[in-house]
Structures are given as C-alpha cells and as structure tokens.
Amino acid sequence: MMKGAHFHTAAAFALLALATFHLVSASDPSPLQDFCVALNTTQTAASAVFVNGKFCKDPKLATADDFFFSGLQIPRNTSNPVGSNVTAANVEQIAGLNTLGISLARIDYAPNGGLNPPHTHPRATEILMVMEGTLYVGFITSNPDNRLFTKVLCKGDVFVFPVGLIHFQFNIGEVNAVAIAALSSQNPGVITIANAVFGSNPPINPDVLTKAFQVDNNVVQYLQKQFWYDNN
C-alpha cells in the first residue's frame, strides 16, 4: 500500500512538473544573438540567413544607421478623406528591429473629426499616448459579446488596444491632434475594415456582402465603387 501511495504521489508531481514546464515554455524563445539586422530582398545573398520574414545581415557589417530612424517629430499632411496620417517606424524603416518584436508609429489627426478608421493589427497589441489634442478612442471585443470600450484621451493620456481587436481614434477637438503608438511586433500589419471589405481586389461578390450586412444590393455596389483611402 505504501509503495502504491508513493507511486501515485510521484506521478502527481511528475504531471505537475510537466504542466509547469508547458506554462513557462509558452513564451517566445530568447534571442540567441544580439540582433538580426534585416536585409532588403535586393541585398540578399546565398549565404544570408532567413528569419521570420527577413534575411539577416552579417552582424559584423551592421552600423548605427541600422538602428536609427528620423522623422517622427515632423507633422504630416492630414488633408485627405479620413483626416489622418500614420507614420510607421517598423522593420521596414528600421532594419535593426528585425526579430525584436517592437515598433512605433506617429498618427496625425486633422481638427474636428480627423479619424484613424476602424482597423486591426493582426500581430500586435498597441499602446497609444496622446501628445497633443483630444481623442475619442475605442475598441470592440470579439464575438459573441462585441463590447465597445471607449475613452476620451487628453494630452499625456494612454490607452491600450489588445492584439487583433478592431479599434479607432477620432479627433473631437478643434485643433490638430498627435499620438504616438507603440506596438508589440516588428511588423504589426494593419487591416482597415472598410477598405478590406468594400475595397478588396478583386471585389467580394456583392451577394456575399448584401447578406452579411443585410442591406440592398445597390448599397453594396455603391460602397464598392468608392475610393477607399489608405492613411498608412
């Protein structure tokens, strides 16, 4: 009986240890090198190493410029249909971000209604800090609840948009607004909802959208003919 008890106790500890191992090993692995500066496809060589979407430069050839970007201090033109302009600072602009899992963006908003339209980042959580102005921001949870979380942000305020969820920012002030966003991916991606649904190439069959949105076919065809502006 004692041997059986010891066996069951040992088995329980083994299962607990195995479960703990799975819990602690669920995060991304630690880097095995200091950095992996991305190469443009035109620069790739047969000896380059391909890592998560980018080839890596020989570390001995890396320079300070590989980790540098200038321009987020410059106001951007917001005289477009949505009244906003996003300046990204991701791996496409900063080669040294490759494999590091972070990026930045500056968003400029026109007065009285400048909008960063509803969109998602499929690969990143976003944390937004208002630098100037007043923004009405929000995100929507996934099915089936589709809860809307909103907040009015003033200068210095911070708001978080969880990874993959639809979110937006809207300038409710009478002056230009500026925000800086930090994202938990070197290349977070962006899917602007209206652009993707009504501006896809080739267009989605109108019958699909008519049924999905429960509107007349003429409404869908009208929306598909509009010019869907990309503010990124």
Side-chain angles (χ1 to χ4, degrees):
M1 292 294 291
M2 290 297 293
K3 286 185 178 180
H6 283 304
F7 174 78
H8 287 301
T9 301
F13 275 115
L15 289 172
L16 178 61
L18 182 61
T20 303
F21 172 78
H22 281 298
L23 287 174
V24 300
S25 64
S27 61
D28 291 336
S30 299
L32 298 180
Q33 55 197 38
D34 290 341
F35 48 77
C36 175
V37 174
L39 282 174
N40 295 325
T41 53
T42 56
Q43 299 174 312
T44 55
S47 59
V49 179
F50 191 72
V51 178
N52 195 25
K54 296 289 182 181
F55 286 94
C56 295
K57 179 189 288 189
D58 184 337
K60 295 178 181 178
L61 301 179
T63 69
D65 284 340
D66 291 323
F67 304 90
F68 173 78
F69 176 79
S70 180
L72 290 187
Q73 79 282 10
I74 301 172
R76 303 295 175 172
N77 185 0
T78 57
S79 58
N80 56 59
V82 294
S84 69
N85 197 322
V86 178
T87 305
N90 56 44
V91 72
E92 298 300 327
Q93 292 79 34
I94 308 174
L97 282 180
N98 192 38
T99 75
L100 298 185
I102 57 171
S103 59
L104 282 174
R106 170 188 171 124
I107 309 102
D108 289 273
Y109 311 84
N112 298 309
L115 172 69
N116 193 9
H119 63 281
T120 71
H121 300 293
R123 296 179 290 276
T125 290
E126 174 183 342
I127 182 167
L128 184 93
M129 179 175 180
V130 177
M131 308 301 291
E132 299 290 344
T134 307
L135 296 176
Y136 169 70
V137 307
F139 69 85
I140 304 166
T141 65
S142 56
N143 298 348
D145 296 332
N146 297 135
R147 291 183 62 196
L148 174 63
F149 290 79
T150 64
K151 196 79 175 175
V152 173
L153 306 182
C154 299
K155 183 176 180 178
D157 289 343
V158 173
F159 199 77
V160 174
F161 305 107
V163 58
L165 297 187
I166 295 173
H167 59 284
F168 60 87
Q169 301 106 36
F170 186 65
N171 186 0
I172 59 174
E174 297 181 356
V175 298
N176 292 321
V178 181
I180 295 292
L183 300 111
S184 60
S185 170
Q186 68 187 46
N187 189 18
V190 60
I191 302 171
T192 305
I193 306 305
N195 300 36
V197 173
F198 296 108
S200 65
N201 184 21
I204 298 173
N205 187 318
D207 292 340
V208 173
L209 300 181
T210 297
K211 193 160 189 175
F213 288 92
Q214 297 293 292
V215 295
D216 187 85
N217 189 273
N218 291 331
V219 174
V220 169
Q221 292 190 36
Y222 170 79
L223 290 171
Q224 288 185 317
K225 291 177 182 177
Q226 302 309 301
F227 173 73
W228 294 99
Y229 183 81
D230 182 7
N231 67 336
N232 290 272

